[in-house]
Every structure is written in C-alpha cells, then in structure tokens.
Amino acid sequence: MAVNPVSPPDRTTPAPEGPALAVLRSAARIALLAAAALLALWLWTRFCRFPSIPWNDMRLAPTIALAQGWPIYPLAEAGTINTWMYGPLPVLFLWPASWAASAADALMIAAGMNAALTLVPLALVCFLWPVDGHGPHVRLGRFAALLGSFALWPELHYSVLFSDNLAVACGLIGNLLLVRTRAPAALWAAAAIGTAAVACKQIALGIPLAQVVWLGVTAGRTEALRHAVRCVVTGAAIGGAAIAVFGWDGLWFTLVQIPGSFGWAPDLAQRLGMVWSALAIQVALPAIVMLLLRHRFTAPALRLAAVTWLCTLPLGLAGLLKLGGWTNSIHSFVLWLPPVLATLLAAPAAERARWSALLGTGLLAAGIACGRLWHEPRLDLQPRIDDYRQAERIAAQYRGAVWFPVHPLVTLYSDRRYYHDEDGMYVRIKAGKTPSPTHAASQLPPAMRMMAFRNDWSDWGIARLMLPAEAGELTVGNWTLRGGVGGRPTP
C-alpha cells in the first residue's frame, strides 16, 4: 500500500501570525505612540511652568552670580546668604544660562537644560545598557523602557532645579560605562563621573560605593580595591579643583557645617505619612520586583542596578527625614529603574508575552501622563514669564531700592548685585546659625525702601518681619510692593 510522503514542518519558519497576536501588536504600538505624545505634551507643560517656581530662581541665581564675579559660598558672617548648600558642579553645569540677557531668558535656558539632564541619561541607559539578543524587538523594548522610565520618574525632577538631578545623571552614566566595558580608560571615566555625583550633592556618596561593591562581587577584591583607588584619586582631583576655585572656608561652612547642623524632622511619623505613596513606588516596588525576580538579578548587569539601589538608599532616606528634606533625596529608585526596565523589556520572550509587556508599559505610561495632565490646576502651554517682565520694569524703576526676597535673579540683572534670598536665611535659622543684623543687612539693595512679593506664592515671612509697622502696600500686576512705596510703578 503506497503512502503519500508528507514533508515535516519547517521549524525555521515562523508560524503564521494569528489574528489575536496581530491585534496585540497593533495595540502595543498604538499605546506606545500615544504614551510618547502624551508624555511630550506633559513635559512641555513642565517647561512652561518652570519660571513660575521661585525655587528655580533661587537655585539658578548662584550660577548667574558666579558669572558676574560674586562669591557663592558665604561664611557665617560674610557673603550673600543664599539657598545653595550643595556642591559646585550643578552651578557650573548651568553656566550657559548666564549668557541670557534677562532673568526670564535665563530660566528658560535652565528649564531646557534641566529636562535634558533627565532625558539624555535616560535614553543613553535605555538604549545602551547590555541586554541579551538584538533586532527590532530589542529596539522596541528599549524604547518602551525609555517611556516607562520617563513616566515613572518623579515629577519634581522635571519641575525643579535640584542638585540631585545632576547627581543622578552622573550615577547613570558612570554605571553605564562600568557595566559595558572593563577597559582602563572606561573604568577611570566611570570612577570620575560616579564620584562627581558627590560634588553635586553630598548624599550621593552611595554611587561610587556601589561601583566598588559591584566590582568586588563580580570581579573580585583586587578589582574592587583598584576601583576604590580610582574613586579616591578622581575625588581628590575634583575636590582640589573646587577648593582652588571656591575656597576651603566657604565650602566647609556651606557643605558640611550647615547641613551637619540640621536635625531630624520634628515629627518623623508625619513626614513618612506625607510621602507614603512615593515610598511605596520608590522603595517597596523595587524591593518586591527584586524579590520576585531574584534569579534574574544574579546577572552582572542587573546586579549593578540592585547594588546601587541598596548602597544609595540609606543616605537617601536620611536626607528625606532630615529637616527640610523631601523625596528628591531618594536616588536609589531613579538609578535602579532605567537599567531594570531596559533589561526586562528587551529580553528574549515568547511573542505573546513580549507584546503584552509592551502593551502594558505603553498603557501605564499613557495613563500616568493622562493623570498628571488631568490633575494640573493650570495647564501651561506658554512659558510663564509675564511676571518676570513686570518685575524687570519694577526693578528698573526702583533700581537699587527694591528687594525681591525669593527672586534674586531679577536684581542680579537689574542691579548687577547678588542680594540675600529668604530661603537661605530660613536655612541659617533652622541650622542654628542665625546671621547677625549687620550681616543680614550687608547684602541688600543699598537704597532699599521696599520689598516685592509674588501674590501667588507664599514665603517664609522672614523678610516681612524686617518691614516697619507703618509700611505701605501697592499691588502691581501679580506683585505686591511693601515698604515706602511712594509713587506708582510703571505697569
């Protein structure tokens, strides 16, 4: 009996794509594109809102002041009292903002640089972190990791000039160099960039420590000791350069004595209650993921992310719980997130599982962007610089006679002088280093007879206490002038 031969199935040819899988693929692509568009819109609103936040004015002011030749690290009884009590690298990074012709323009340059400070390191890590496999599915997975990281990144980092932003960027780029190659030049660069994070914010010490620990775990004690030497040498070079430029006394007083005088938050339970949702995402979520996927975190690349999370968490939590601290001090989550998402979303997987993960990431990112846009009390689509244009006119009319307690940029441009800011005074008081009346009066407008306050922003009330009881008041646009306000400013 003859039997018709039947050819065996070709195992090298992919099975035809079923309708359900085709729909899943299309849905995933649409979700990722929608997420990208929504996140871009939301980022634009952050860019537009940036100038309206006085923290950005006070934290950009040291860069503009330094460019004008003013010292930015004061002593206990000399120099301009300001809000900057961090390392000098963020001040230098923002130097291009000093080329602007006005306070408003300087803030817009800083807004763009601040956004790039997050997005560029994110893109580098998501697209260059070592993962298994190659091809279109890997690139799409990396793109999804970028969108997921972009969405889950704490909102405040996009809105406020934190010294933490540059510290985290240094940590991400330093770890990327370390994980990709063991070439001597790359190891030195990783040590230098990782250690530079400490010259941004003091609590970033966990970043170079994590590099040393990871090399000890993956390459042995000798490599760890060598890298520790690299970190010490590059750190000494950075520190020596900072001392040469800014002076030992000002750096020691600002970076060590003032922060060292801060106590813990008065009510730790209240502080934790205020940030419990952020802690659930930034502390609990990574811990759960690493526990459930512990077999994946034995790979060297993911182990670096885990070690960095662990080494940076203690100082981050300490910074959060200190007086004046907040969630921006927790660097562990943002250093952990991009490499983990890039590894998990770009890893080889069955077609249905891969596209389901991409769809879930796209929906999550789009949902977060929608939620943020929906809850915005004011959706800014144009840069909010009108108040600065008004402030420029006020400062020009009363040159040398008006003090902006939380907007020192205005008079840096109008008077070419660096005056005290109120947050710096508040910090001194809380640190138990209240300036003397002579020092408090030393860096104020020479003919001061009024103060200018934004009507939509609260302040510490310190400057108001310096006003005489009979002080007059005049509202001009969104500003209130208090003091001897004879005459009417030009609208």
Side-chain angles (χ1 to χ4, degrees):
M1 181 177 177
V3 178
N4 291 329
V6 178
S7 299
D10 184 359
R11 301 292 183 185
T12 64
T13 303
E17 184 180 282
L21 183 57
V23 171
L24 182 61
R25 290 165 63 110
S26 297
R29 290 192 174 103
I30 291 171
L32 291 173
L33 289 174
L38 288 166
L39 287 170
L41 174 60
W42 179 78
L43 182 63
W44 174 252
T45 67
R46 298 299 87 196
F47 177 79
C48 292
R49 184 179 176 228
F50 189 92
S52 71
I53 302 174
W55 298 116
N56 296 327
D57 186 308
M58 290 184 283
R59 288 173 179 171
L60 180 59
T63 296
I64 309 304
L66 184 64
Q68 292 183 4
W70 297 98
I72 61 170
Y73 287 107
L75 301 174
E77 288 298 333
T80 302
I81 301 170
N82 59 58
T83 192
W84 194 258
M85 55 179 183
Y86 314 107
L89 286 190
V91 174
L92 298 176
F93 172 80
L94 291 167
W95 195 268
S98 69
W99 304 335
S102 69
D105 294 341
L107 282 165
M108 296 318 302
I109 293 173
M113 296 182 70
N114 189 57
L117 194 56
T118 293
L119 293 181
V120 171
L122 266 183
L124 289 173
V125 171
C126 288
F127 282 96
L128 297 177
W129 195 264
V131 300
D132 295 330
H134 59 277
H137 73 277
V138 173
R139 291 193 291 272
L140 192 57
R142 291 182 182 276
F143 178 66
L146 175 60
L147 292 180
S149 300
F150 186 175
L152 287 168
W153 211 260
E155 181 272 338
L156 280 177
H157 289 266
Y158 296 105
S159 303
V160 180
L161 278 180
F162 291 123
S163 59
D164 310 81
N165 297 350
L166 184 55
V168 169
C170 288
L172 288 172
I173 295 172
N175 282 359
L176 177 63
L177 288 170
L178 187 67
V179 80
R180 283 186 63 86
T181 177
R182 297 287 175 83
L187 290 173
W188 276 100
I193 296 172
T195 305
V198 186
C200 301
K201 191 165 186 178
Q202 300 89 312
I203 61 172
L205 185 62
I207 292 173
L209 174 64
Q211 293 186 352
V212 172
V213 171
W214 179 76
L215 278 171
V217 171
T218 59
R221 181 182 301 176
T222 301
E223 283 300 316
L225 290 174
R226 287 175 179 168
H227 199 70
V229 171
R230 295 184 196 105
C231 291
V232 170
V233 170
T234 54
I238 294 170
I243 292 169
V245 173
F246 299 100
W248 167 262
D249 292 338
L251 289 172
W252 180 259
F253 177 73
T254 304
L255 304 185
V256 179
Q257 288 185 296
I258 291 180
S261 300
F262 283 153
W264 299 103
D267 189 336
L268 293 180
Q270 181 188 43
R271 174 67 57 83
L272 291 172
M274 293 170 65
V275 299
W276 70 268
S277 58
L279 292 180
I281 295 173
Q282 299 189 37
V283 179
L285 178 61
I288 292 170
V289 169
M290 289 187 287
L291 180 63
L292 294 177
L293 301 179
R294 53 189 177 275
H295 63 288
R296 300 289 297 271
F297 281 84
T298 58
L302 277 185
R303 185 173 287 177
L304 177 57
V307 169
T308 303
W309 182 84
L310 186 62
C311 288
T312 54
L313 185 59
L315 286 176
L317 289 174
L320 165 68
L321 297 176
K322 283 282 191 174
L323 188 69
W326 202 245
T327 54
N328 56 287
S329 295
I330 303 180
H331 303 161
S332 49
F333 175 71
V334 287
L335 292 168
W336 175 90
L337 180 66
V340 170
L341 280 184
T343 302
L344 297 181
L345 291 175
E351 282 285 290
R352 187 172 298 277
R354 176 187 305 122
W355 288 104
S356 296
L358 294 176
L359 174 61
T361 303
L363 292 175
L364 174 65
I368 291 173
C370 284
R372 288 178 173 174
L373 290 168
W374 179 262
H375 287 97
E376 277 294 314
R378 171 176 170 173
L379 197 61
D380 294 307
L381 298 178
Q382 292 184 335
R384 291 178 60 179
I385 58 175
D386 289 346
D387 290 341
Y388 275 93
R389 300 306 186 203
Q390 180 70 69
E392 289 167 6
R393 291 190 286 270
I394 294 171
Q397 183 168 346
Y398 295 104
R399 196 177 306 277
V402 59
W403 178 36
F404 293 76
V406 294
H407 295 84
L409 275 181
V410 175
T411 42
L412 270 167
Y413 278 92
S414 67
D415 298 6
R416 308 294 290 185
R417 294 280 300 271
Y418 191 23
Y419 302 136
H420 299 317
D421 68 58
E422 190 177 60
D423 189 63
M425 292 184 168
Y426 175 79
V427 166
R428 290 286 189 95
I429 292 169
K430 289 300 181 180
K433 300 184 181 298
T434 303
S436 67
T438 302
H439 185 202
S442 66
Q443 299 296 328
L444 294 177
M448 188 178 76
R449 60 188 179 91
M450 68 185 73
M451 302 177 190
F453 301 91
R454 270 250 309 275
N455 296 334
D456 60 351
W457 192 269
S458 60
D459 53 82
W460 296 117
I462 297 171
R464 296 173 191 267
L465 293 175
M466 300 165 64
L467 289 165
E470 67 278 6
E473 183 175 298
L474 177 66
T475 298
V476 183
N478 195 33
W479 296 91
T480 295
L481 304 182
R482 290 186 171 88
V485 291
R488 178 169 293 275
T490 304

